Amino acid sequence: MQHTLVDPVLLFDNEAYLIFKNPLFWVPVLQNTRKSASFACFLGCFCFLGFIGGLHCFLQRRILVGSGFRDRKKVGALMGSVVEEIRNGGGHSVVDVESKAGFGGGIEDVYGEDCATEDQVLTPWTASVASGYTLLRDPHYNKGLAFTEKERDAHYLRGLLPPAVLTQELQEKKLMQNLRQYEVPLHRYIAMMDLQERNEGLFYKLLIDNVEELLPVVYTPTVGEACQKYGSIFRHPQGLYISLKEKGKILEVLKNWPERGIQVIVVTDGERILGLGDLGCQGMGIPVGKLSLYTALGGVPPSACLPITIDVGTNNEKLLNDEFYIGLKQRRATGQEYAELLEEFMTAVKQNYGEKVLVQFEDFANHNAFELLSKYSKTHLVFNDDIQGTASVVLAGLIASLKLLGGTLGDHTFLFLGAGEAGTGIAELIALEISKKTGAPLEEARKKIWLVDSKGLIVKSRLGSLQHFKQPWAHDHEPIKQLVDAVKAIKPTVLIGTSGVGKQFTKDVVETMASLNEKPLILALSNPTSQAECTAEEAYTWTKGRAIFGSGSPFDPVEYENKLLVPGQANNAYIFPGFGLGLIMAGAIRVHDDMLLAASEALAMQVSEEHYAKGLIYPPFTNIRKISANIAAKVAAKVYELGLASNLPRPKDLVKYAESCMYSPRYRSYR
Ligand SMILES: NC(=O)C1=CN([C@@H]2O[C@H](COP(=O)(O)OP(=O)(O)OC[C@H]3O[C@@H](n4cnc5c(N)ncnc54)[C@H](OP(=O)(O)O)[C@@H]3O)[C@@H](O)[C@H]2O)C=CC1
Ligand SMILES: CC(=O)C(=O)O
Ligand SMILES: [Mg+2]
């Protein structure tokens, strides 16, 4: 009787085993190198066929072959080569361990890949392979045409690749040429995601080396469109989906993720994706994008990053009626049902990954975001990027801008359009910084900051109806409905857009800012580009080239009266990768506001005279890894100073240490 070789898994320390689910049944076959171990497996398998066949119905069999790898994927990968060798001969005699005849009455299986009948249940055994065909399909290890001749021999790749051997640099050049040929940004996004799924090292090499060019592809603005069309462009599942269906078994779901050493989780529930509203389960593009920046910009290894989307339904009618929608087709769970799912999730995260895993909340709607942050910041290492990361990046820009504007932070008056997560988060950190620098009470510092929401200026008379996060900003003033009137009344030196609604900084508004200030500082932070409160061109033209301008999504430089004006990108992407790296390096167990202030100062310090000369208040992204290392070092130093570090002793040179921790996308040589 022929027997199906199933679900092989690797064991370690160069030992080959035939094993069963119960470890007591594991049978060592041979020790030593991988090849001999593989062959041993083959022999062992052959000899034990009858025995195994007899137990087939009762026991789940596995073959383990060792090679010292630690994680499941690698283990599975190496092991797969064994199966492949057995299946394909692999230099040894071929043994057909899968009966081509199948289990009787099955559909004809000309390739011998699937012997099951259509109606017969089978176990979906996987044989991930670290050599041969499957190696080419493992994004962690695949190098495509860059596999050397030696590697092609050693890993059974002969014939599976065309003869040319390319360097990683040449592959990069070719891919950049290909990408530049796509005229539609979404096509570039899809090509990049395909590359990430195919060859992770090359994906990150491209992203790191061409960061200014590719950031708008994998991140805002294109990621916004990708999320809107996620159902249609969906190819490979990325990240982990936890829906209401998984209630009661979230810990098990976390265990399904192949990597064990997770250090950063970015999680969304998809309710406020950029300024595009509720995109439900399709919000997954955001955690995936943010985490690719954690790796490319902050050097956190991809295997330590876990994107998660919590699907509690969506209130987006268009998605609910979309046949391609990939999420739960029901309206959003709220109240206790929502809170219980999140509680189970947060508990499971800590249980599975420990105290030091960083959970970054991303693009939750504000009615949940503030509460989740406040609740879990006491028990977990959590960080809300929209509230805290955005605050830190804007504060950095403001500190840097003082070189151009003059005065201290406390000398300025700030007006926000939008009083949600980003708006009130930034406002609070500015007030904290002013208070720390001047010694003034926080309440006093807040008086320099004004916010406008969809109902107008936030003033005392509205106190009774304001959400809790707006209340500290209700100052004494008569009500004002229109932004332009608020600008005239408050006379801000700095105008910040965090409304999520495009085109709100009208000509009137911007011209009024220009009439009040020699150098009006205008930040149109809303994403993606379509939601920006104004464009760079509008800001420069309406202020006659005098504005200092930054935006959440990138704008091209603008030529105004023969002068090239370069807008900065005020986006939390400057902060969270380095901030997260700093927390991880120090083994932080809680986030503290002082760490955000430290990150702001570190970023502001990276703006050089050369940048100021161009009117920039942020350094360009080209140097982002160096910037992130500096941010990480300052954040880690603060973690140690506050006694919240668990990685002891403290490294002496934290910048060097940060750099040494960073992931490199360079191909490794394989034995
Ligand atoms: N550049 C960056 O790094 C970041 C940018 N953002 C962007 O900021 C935007 C807002 O995000 P977030 O703060 O989380 O969103 P929220 O929903 O929490 O807040 C939006 C705020 O804007 C107000 N608003 C909406 N429409 C108008 C309007 N027409 N006039 C005046 N106010 C209005 C809302 O008023 P009301 O309360 O009355 O409803 C609310 O106060 C998004 O586009 C997001 O992409 C966010 C984080 C980082
Ligand atoms: C940048 C970002 O986090 C946002 O727009 O939500
Ligand atoms: Mg966000």
Side-chain angles (χ1 to χ4, degrees):
M1 172 186 179
Q2 287 209 308
H3 172 65
T4 307
L5 178 64
V6 285
D7 194 17
V9 179
L10 284 178
L11 199 62
F12 315 119
D13 301 319
N14 289 331
E15 290 189 19
Y17 289 84
L18 285 175
I19 67 152
F20 306 105
K21 202 167 189 178
N22 183 339
L24 293 176
F25 284 94
W26 293 3
V27 182
V29 178
L30 199 75
Q31 297 194 354
N32 234 327
T33 65
R34 211 185 89 230
K35 274 188 205 165
S36 58
S38 325
F39 189 55
C41 266
F42 150 65
L43 285 177
C45 188
F46 188 69
C47 297
F48 276 84
L49 283 182
F51 171 63
I52 293 168
L55 290 172
H56 180 249
C57 302
F58 309 105
L59 298 170
Q60 201 175 20
R61 278 143 309 191
R62 293 169 178 204
I63 288 181
L64 299 182
V65 176
S67 194
F69 282 117
R70 283 201 346 259
D71 71 45
R72 238 168 67 178
K73 210 167 216 164
K74 293 173 189 165
V75 163
L78 207 76
M79 150 62 215
S81 69
V82 176
V83 178
E84 215 62 7
E85 285 163 26
I86 294 171
R87 273 193 171 165
N88 303 331
H92 317 298
S93 59
V94 179
V95 170
D96 184 7
V97 289
E98 298 248 12
S99 164
K100 288 210 167 140
F103 291 90
I107 49 172
E108 196 186 354
D109 176 19
V110 285
Y111 299 107
E113 287 176 358
D114 182 353
C115 304
T117 60
E118 276 175 325
D119 55 1
Q120 186 180 16
V121 292
L122 80 163
T123 308
W125 303 110
T126 63
S128 332
V129 177
S131 64
Y133 187 78
T134 317
L135 175 55
L136 296 178
R137 273 150 189 80
D138 184 333
H140 297 295
Y141 302 105
N142 182 27
K143 301 197 267 187
L145 288 180
F147 280 110
T148 62
E149 301 288 356
K150 207 169 141 225
E151 287 169 337
R152 291 174 191 212
D153 281 333
H155 297 279
Y156 306 98
L157 296 169
R158 285 268 161 225
L160 300 181
L161 290 164
V165 177
L166 304 188
T167 60
Q168 195 178 19
E169 285 67 29
L170 207 54
Q171 288 180 309
E172 180 178 357
K173 185 176 170 190
K174 185 192 75 176
L175 275 162
M176 286 309 295
Q177 276 178 7
N178 290 354
L179 280 172
R180 286 173 187 142
Q181 277 168 18
Y182 291 116
E183 276 167 18
V184 179
L186 190 61
H187 293 167
R188 283 194 202 129
Y189 176 87
I190 294 170
M192 282 300 280
M193 291 304 107
D194 280 350
L195 177 60
Q196 191 174 20
E197 287 301 314
R198 193 168 74 238
N199 182 335
E200 190 177 84
L202 193 53
F203 169 82
Y204 282 112
K205 179 111 176 58
L206 251 70
L207 195 47
I208 291 167
D209 293 348
N210 307 276
V211 65
E212 297 252 8
E213 185 173 349
L214 295 182
L215 210 55
V217 177
V218 300
Y219 193 52
T220 183
T222 313
V223 72
E225 188 185 356
C227 288
Q228 288 175 309
K229 299 175 179 165
Y230 215 70
S232 318
I233 64 172
F234 184 84
R235 296 182 186 203
H236 318 273
Q238 295 170 293
L240 206 55
Y241 292 89
I242 297 177
S243 77
L244 288 169
K245 285 189 197 171
E246 279 72 54
K247 193 167 189 302
K249 34 188 177 186
I250 295 181
L251 185 60
E252 286 169 50
V253 176
L254 291 181
K255 288 184 190 298
N256 286 343
W257 188 251
E259 305 289 351
R260 288 281 153 264
I262 298 302
Q263 293 175 316
V264 188
I265 291 171
V266 175
V267 59
T268 188
D269 73 355
E271 193 168 2
R272 195 286 277 144
I273 294 298
L274 306 179
L276 301 170
D278 182 353
L279 296 184
C281 196
Q282 301 193 168
M284 180 57 103
I286 293 295
V288 167
K290 291 271 177 185
L291 282 164
S292 64
L293 303 198
Y294 257 104
T295 299
L297 279 50
V300 178
S303 59
C305 297
L306 173 54
I308 296 185
T309 293
I310 296 191
D311 185 351
V312 295
T314 178
N315 295 339
N316 182 327
E317 292 298 336
K318 207 170 151 215
L319 292 179
L320 289 171
N321 293 318
D322 178 355
E323 63 175 324
F324 296 126
Y325 181 51
I326 58 169
L328 284 185
K329 285 206 173 184
Q330 65 171 75
R331 299 194 79 76
R332 280 189 177 272
T334 56
Q336 195 180 341
E337 194 181 8
Y338 180 89
E340 280 176 8
L341 194 76
L342 267 291
E343 175 67 17
E344 185 188 338
F345 168 68
M346 293 304 289
T347 308
V349 160
K350 202 160 160 179
Q351 205 172 330
N352 206 37
Y353 302 115
E355 185 98 1
K356 290 188 276 178
V357 65
L358 171 63
V359 178
Q360 174 166 318
F361 293 119
E362 191 70 51
D363 290 10
F364 283 74
N366 61 38
H367 55 94
N368 290 316
F370 286 102
E371 210 172 307
L372 289 171
L373 181 62
S374 145
K375 180 173 178 189
Y376 291 107
S377 58
K378 297 179 187 81
T379 53
H380 291 65
L381 183 69
V382 293
F383 164 71
N384 184 301
D385 188 34
D386 301 300
I387 301 171
Q388 298 171 297
T390 315
S392 187
V393 80
V394 172
L395 178 61
L398 295 175
I399 294 171
S401 74
L402 296 177
K403 274 257 168 80
L404 298 170
L405 298 178
T408 66
L409 214 53
D411 296 332
H412 286 273
T413 306
F414 306 87
L415 180 65
F416 287 79
L417 182 77
E421 293 167 67
T424 62
I426 301 164
E428 193 62 31
L429 203 66
I430 297 174
L432 186 64
E433 174 75 358
I434 294 176
S435 163
K436 285 204 178 235
K437 286 273 145 70
T438 61
L442 196 59
E443 295 69 37
E444 207 47 44
R446 284 184 181 135
K447 289 186 179 154
K448 300 290 292 183
I449 304 168
W450 297 80
L451 292 98
V452 171
D453 67 8
S454 65
K455 297 187 179 65
L457 190 65
I458 295 182
V459 290
K460 274 252 167 72
S461 56
R462 293 180 54 195
L463 206 50
S465 63
L466 290 175
Q467 289 143 292
H468 67 92
F469 49 86
K470 293 179 183 169
Q471 289 170 7
W473 309 103
H475 304 318
D476 278 323
H477 202 285
E478 64 194 35
I480 297 180
K481 281 263 180 255
Q482 300 302 322
L483 176 64
V484 65
D485 297 329
V487 174
K488 284 175 187 161
I490 305 298
K491 300 187 177 29
T493 52
V494 180
L495 178 66
I496 302 178
T498 52
S499 63
V501 185
K503 302 278 166 217
Q504 297 298 302
F505 293 171
T506 57
K507 190 163 186 261
D508 238 13
V509 168
V510 175
E511 283 181 348
T512 308
M513 280 298 289
S515 73
L516 294 167
N517 300 284
E518 178 51 34
K519 286 182 181 165
L521 175 46
I522 298 174
L523 299 177
L525 298 184
S526 293
N527 296 315
T529 318
S530 58
Q531 312 308 106
E533 283 79 5
C534 68
T535 65
E537 189 165 9
E538 287 166 346
Y540 292 133
T541 312
W542 294 337
T543 59
K544 301 198 178 357
R546 284 188 283 125
I548 299 167
F549 178 77
S551 53
S553 299
F555 281 106
D556 287 335
V558 176
E559 207 180 304
Y560 184 81
E561 292 184 349
N562 295 327
K563 206 175 161 206
L564 196 68
L565 302 170
V566 186
Q569 191 176 350
N571 193 295
N572 49 32
Y574 273 110
I575 290 290
F576 68 78
F579 187 79
L581 181 64
L583 297 176
I584 294 167
M585 270 163 51
I589 50 165
R590 297 286 178 273
V591 170
H592 190 283
D593 282 346
D594 285 356
M595 300 172 197
L596 298 169
L597 296 177
S600 302
E601 277 168 26
L603 177 56
M605 279 165 63
Q606 301 297 311
V607 190
S608 67
E609 291 303 331
E610 185 198 338
H611 304 138
Y612 287 125
K614 290 183 188 158
L616 282 171
I617 54 171
Y618 292 100
F621 269 110
T622 26
N623 266 342
I624 187 65
R625 286 201 142 205
K626 182 174 157 278
I627 295 167
S628 293
N630 278 284
I631 294 173
K634 284 271 189 286
V635 170
K638 190 54 79 178
V639 178
Y640 283 104
E641 191 187 312
L642 294 170
L644 292 168
S646 67
N647 286 354
L648 299 167
R650 174 197 192 279
K652 269 210 182 75
D653 187 334
L654 285 165
V655 176
K656 277 215 173 84
Y657 184 65
E659 283 167 349
S660 74
C661 291
M662 285 185 165
Y663 162 83
S664 161
R666 288 216 156 275
Y667 290 147
R668 308 281 300 272
S669 295
Y670 300 147
R671 259 190 294 269

Coordinates of all heavy atoms in Angstrom, one line a residue, residues 343 455 642:
E343 N -11.2 44.0 24.4 CA -10.5 43.5 25.6 C -9.9 42.2 25.4 O -8.8 41.9 25.9 CB -11.6 43.5 26.7 CG -11.2 42.9 28.1 CD -10.1 43.8 28.8 OE1 -10.0 44.9 28.5 OE2 -9.5 43.2 29.7
K455 N -18.9 72.6 13.9 CA -19.9 73.5 14.4 C -19.4 74.9 14.6 O -20.1 75.8 15.1 CB -20.6 73.0 15.6 CG -21.3 71.7 15.4 CD -22.1 71.2 16.6 CE -22.8 69.9 16.3 NZ -21.9 68.8 16.0
L642 N 13.2 57.5 32.7 CA 12.0 57.4 33.5 C 11.9 56.1 34.3 O 10.9 55.9 34.9 CB 10.8 57.6 32.5 CG 10.6 59.0 31.9 CD1 9.5 58.9 30.8 CD2 10.2 60.0 32.9

